[in-house]
Amino acid sequence: MGSGNFHSMFNYNIINGEKSVRNGEMKMGVLSNRICREDLKPGDHIYSWRYAYIYAHHGIYIGEGKVIHFTQSQGGREIGTGTVLDRVIFSSSSSEASNCATCGDQSGRYGVICSCLDCFLADGDLYLFQYAVSPALFLAKPRGGTCTIAASDPTSEVLHRASFLLHNGFGVYHLFKNNCEDFAIYCKTGLLVITRISVGRSGQATSFLAAASAIVSSPLRYLTTSFSGLAAVGYGMYCFSRLVSDIGVRRDVEKVAVEMLVSASAGCQET
């Protein structure tokens, strides 16, 4: 075999190996958003699943092993569903890790806090929330709270919002309208829902409501009589509801400066 042929085969194998790696990464982007700590960058929106993937806790990685995230109040000021879901979801906060050598005692802290990555993960795996995904990829992920069609702002703006809210708060925790995912999405995009009657920016909340509406929706019984047909129609309604509720698609959102957000929240608390 000549040296030219050898180098051609060598380069061919390298190129195809790189293609395989890219294809593998692309498949993992559909199946999982898992990421290594070494690949984290300041401004990344990260999350970790709790309680056998029932719920995910979200935050903004700011570098040097630190995460800014929004937790429920320990003093009972959070607004929940009034159901057992509150106990499951609120207990997923990283405040359980109260005796960390890096963070100290966080058992009495609530609202927007800064923790080390270990406390944030609470023994869970690390995942990267994806931005500016295509509608096809968005729908390919059956579980909400992992990606959005909306684009992220520059890292400097993301870190500024997270740092500002760390010192000024993000309002009262609400399971459906103002939770940890809402906080992280706002830091990344600066987008706020301006209507009070709808759910917030959280993909987890919209997925839960979409599933509930697909199950109990009365028109389904008139569209098909078979179980498979009912399941197909229900899943179609679930996907459509998720899509139109995404922060990158819905029309009841607007860009709000973090200073104005905090000022408006302070005004509401005074009144």
Side-chain angles (χ1 to χ4, degrees):
M1 180 184 295
S3 60
N5 292 333
F6 175 79
H7 287 296
S8 296
M9 290 185 63
F10 182 75
N11 292 333
Y12 176 83
N13 290 332
I14 290 180
I15 292 172
N16 279 274
E18 291 176 348
K19 287 182 178 179
S20 297
V21 170
R22 294 194 194 103
N23 290 336
E25 290 175 347
M26 192 161 62
K27 289 178 182 177
M28 285 301 293
V30 175
L31 301 176
S32 172
N33 291 353
R34 198 165 177 177
I35 187 175
C36 297
R37 296 189 182 205
E38 294 76 16
D39 296 328
L40 281 178
K41 299 177 182 178
D44 279 347
H45 174 173
I46 59 176
Y47 62 96
S48 181
W49 292 105
R50 303 285 199 263
Y51 290 94
Y53 297 90
I54 294 176
Y55 178 76
H57 189 54
H58 294 246
I60 299 296
Y61 182 71
I62 60 173
E64 298 182 352
K66 298 288 186 179
V67 184
I68 295 179
H69 52 120
F70 187 40
T71 67
Q72 87 284 0
S73 168
Q74 299 294 323
R77 292 178 58 233
E78 69 274 359
I79 302 173
T81 64
T83 70
V84 71
L85 282 176
D86 294 347
R87 182 177 299 178
V88 173
I89 294 177
F90 290 160
S91 64
S92 69
S93 168
S94 63
S95 61
E96 292 176 349
S98 58
N99 295 315
C100 173
T102 302
C103 303
D105 185 4
Q106 291 192 330
S107 59
R109 300 177 63 189
Y110 59 88
V112 182
I113 66 174
C114 183
S115 305
C116 70
L117 191 55
D118 287 329
C119 285
F120 172 81
L121 293 176
D123 297 325
D125 293 324
L126 177 62
Y127 296 85
L128 178 68
F129 193 97
Q130 294 179 308
Y131 284 82
V133 303
S134 67
L137 179 58
F138 181 86
L139 292 175
K141 291 178 175 290
R143 188 70 180 268
T146 60
C147 64
T148 178
I149 295 173
S152 171
D153 286 334
T155 300
S156 58
E157 295 183 28
V158 175
L159 295 177
H160 170 67
R161 292 186 189 115
S163 177
F164 194 88
L165 293 174
L166 174 63
H167 295 94
N168 295 278
F170 192 61
V172 180
Y173 192 102
H174 191 292
L175 179 63
F176 289 120
K177 294 185 178 181
N178 202 48
N179 57 41
C180 58
E181 185 184 347
D182 291 317
F183 167 80
I185 289 177
Y186 172 73
C187 289
K188 290 287 286 186
T189 66
L191 296 175
L192 284 179
V193 177
I194 58 178
T195 55
R196 295 187 176 183
I197 60 174
S198 62
V199 73
R201 296 148 297 239
S202 170
Q204 294 182 98
T206 55
S207 290
F208 176 80
L209 295 179
S213 64
I215 292 173
V216 303
S217 181
S218 58
L220 288 178
R221 71 171 75 111
Y222 302 109
L223 297 178
T224 181
T225 57
S226 67
F227 176 79
S228 59
L230 185 64
V233 173
Y235 185 71
M237 290 188 62
Y238 167 76
C239 291
F240 176 77
S241 182
R242 274 190 60 223
L243 181 63
V244 298
S245 299
D246 181 68
I247 192 71
V249 175
R250 57 195 298 177
R251 300 302 181 187
D252 60 340
V253 298
E254 64 180 25
K255 204 103 168 177
V256 178
V258 66
E259 294 82 4
M260 292 184 61
L261 170 64
V262 170
S263 178
S265 298
C268 291
Q269 290 178 1
E270 290 178 359
T271 57

